[in-house]
């Protein structure tokens, strides 16, 4: 179907009833996996993802080890049942690209120089996708790294902005991603409760320079809200732990 045939904004509201700058509902649960050093299950709208962190640990194969800093690896993977039409299992061009840009974003916050010759492995699995899965995964991965106790300079909080029906909207869902005019995923490096820099920026489609500036400001406000939720989820885990409870999914 042609994107012009679909109305994405009706009476000033989006198809799911959200205002232009509303995030989808977000849920996080920290420490859900027993075998990982750190983990986080996260829902962002209909996206459902889980992140598992291992390390710092010995690197395999050994020749990949770096004598002056830790090697960070990030694997984004979509389950075959995560999308409407079954996705062929295994890596593809898209997942290799997402893994690369996400790793670069995460590398901005990990204190790699503290762990020479070691590896930090981050696996993110998309169980259900509904646009913005790379942003959901980065939010989960960042929390899982904290859960693993990996020393970090700050957090990564990530959200996309889309242009649909000539307006900018925060955290686009599938219909807005598919039929919109542009999709701009952002990730920010947040240190001491302030946005320090952009850790990931991609763009699909076209926007004007003014729209881009507006999109950036909108994404920053959205990311700060996500950041507060990330901190809250981590605190909840520590409180539960101190009371002898486990946060694993039964
Ligand atoms: P993101 O999930 O980060 O927004 P894309 O913009 O590439 O990444 O994808 C948007 C959405 O399109 C995904 O969240 C998913 O719902 C859907 N999608 C992506 N890849 C596939 C695929 N191979 N088969 C079916 N749907 C897909």
């Amino acid at each position: 179907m042609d994107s012009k045939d679909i109305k994405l904004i009706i009476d000033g509201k989006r198809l799911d009833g959200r205002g232009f700058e509303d995030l989808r509902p977000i849920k996080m649960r920290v420490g859900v996996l027993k075998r990982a050093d750190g983990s986080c299950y996260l829902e962002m709208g209909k996206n459902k993802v889980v992140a598992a962190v291992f390390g710092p640990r010995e690197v395999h194969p050994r020749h990949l080890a770096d004598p002056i800093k830790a090697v960070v690896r990030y694997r984004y993977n979509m389950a075959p049942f995560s999308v409407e039409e079954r996705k062929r299992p295994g890596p593809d061009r898209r997942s290799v690209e997402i893994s690369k840009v996400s790793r670069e974003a995460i590398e901005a916050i990990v204190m790699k120089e503290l762990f020479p010759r070691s590896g930090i492995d981050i696996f993110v699995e998309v169980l259900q996708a509904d646009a913005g899965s790379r942003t959901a995964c980065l939010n989960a991965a960042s929390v899982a790294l904290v859960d693993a106790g990996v020393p970090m300079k700050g957090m990564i909080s990530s959200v996309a902005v889309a242009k649909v029906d000539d307006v900018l909207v925060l955290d686009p869902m599938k219909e807005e991603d598919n039929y919109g005019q542009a999709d701009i995923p952002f990730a920010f490096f947040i240190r001491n409760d302030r946005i320090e820099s952009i850790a990931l920026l991609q763009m699909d489609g076209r926007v004007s320079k003014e729209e881009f500036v507006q999109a950036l400001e909108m994404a920053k406000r959205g990311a700060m809200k996500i950041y507060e939720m990330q901190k809250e989820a981590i605190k909840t885990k520590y409180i539960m732990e101190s009371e002898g409870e486990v946060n694993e999914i039964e």
Side-chain angles (χ1 to χ4, degrees), residues 76 78 83 85 87 94 129-134 174 177 183:
Y76 167 101
M78 263 186 152
V83 286
E85 290 213 4
K87 186 208 163 279
R94 177 177 169 277
D130 192 71
S133 65
R134 78 193 64 196
K174 188 79 169 65
D177 182 305
D183 176 30

Side-chain angles (χ1 to χ4, degrees), residues 19-246:
F20 300 161
E21 205 172 314
D22 291 341
L23 291 166
R24 290 174 284 187
I26 295 179
K27 279 193 216 163
M28 291 179 214
R29 202 150 157 180
V30 186
V32 292
L33 302 174
K34 193 157 52 186
R35 290 189 189 85
D37 294 316
S39 57
C40 176
Y41 169 76
L42 184 145
E43 293 181 7
M44 200 164 164
K46 291 183 204 148
N47 289 294
K48 297 186 178 191
V49 307
V50 63
V53 169
F54 296 84
R57 64 181 180 182
E58 204 168 276
V59 184
H60 289 287
R62 278 262 175 79
H63 70 266
L64 292 179
D66 185 326
I68 40 179
K69 58 183 187 305
V71 174
V72 176
R73 290 183 286 197
Y74 188 106
R75 193 192 73 174
Y76 167 101
N77 183 53
M78 263 186 152
F81 52 79
S82 64
V83 286
E84 227 157 284
E85 290 213 4
R86 180 181 180 276
K87 186 208 163 279
R88 201 160 164 251
D92 52 23
R93 226 180 73 102
R94 177 177 169 277
S95 67
V96 170
E97 172 212 309
I98 293 178
S99 299
K100 177 187 180 283
V101 293
S102 304
R103 172 180 51 75
E104 287 168 353
I106 292 290
E107 280 186 308
I109 57 165
V110 172
M111 298 173 90
K112 296 181 290 186
E113 50 301 330
L114 296 181
F115 302 99
R117 286 180 292 280
S118 30
I120 297 167
D121 292 310
I122 304 153
F123 297 91
V124 291
E125 298 288 327
V126 179
L127 308 176
Q128 190 170 286
D130 192 71
S133 65
R134 78 193 64 196
T135 66
C137 286
L138 271 171
N139 293 329
S142 180
V143 170
L145 279 162
V146 175
D147 186 38
V150 172
M152 304 209 290
K153 297 177 212 158
M155 289 285 283
I156 291 287
S157 303
S158 177
V159 68
V161 172
K163 182 177 171 184
V164 302
D165 289 5
D166 295 324
V167 294
L168 296 172
V169 294
L170 186 65
D171 190 20
M173 33 113 174
K174 188 79 169 65
E175 291 78 0
E176 293 170 332
D177 182 305
N178 277 14
Y179 304 115
Q181 295 145 294
D183 176 30
I184 318 171
F186 290 91
F188 299 99
F189 166 23
I190 303 180
R191 186 184 353 218
N192 298 334
D193 295 342
R194 283 190 50 245
I195 290 181
E196 181 104 0
S197 57
I198 298 174
L200 175 144
L201 168 58
Q202 297 183 280
M203 180 148 77
D204 205 358
R206 291 173 74 101
V207 292
S208 68
K209 200 167 144 192
E210 292 72 31
E211 284 168 334
F212 178 77
V213 173
Q214 282 174 28
L216 174 62
E217 291 310 314
M218 193 184 249
K220 281 183 177 175
R221 291 190 290 270
M224 285 310 293
K225 288 186 191 154
I226 294 171
Y227 171 66
E228 291 303 326
M229 292 183 231
Q230 289 172 303
K231 283 203 298 190
E232 209 47 50
I234 294 160
K235 271 192 222 156
T236 304
K237 150 99 195 280
Y238 289 145
I239 292 168
M240 285 179 80
E241 224 168 43
S242 68
E243 290 171 354
E245 289 177 51
V246 262

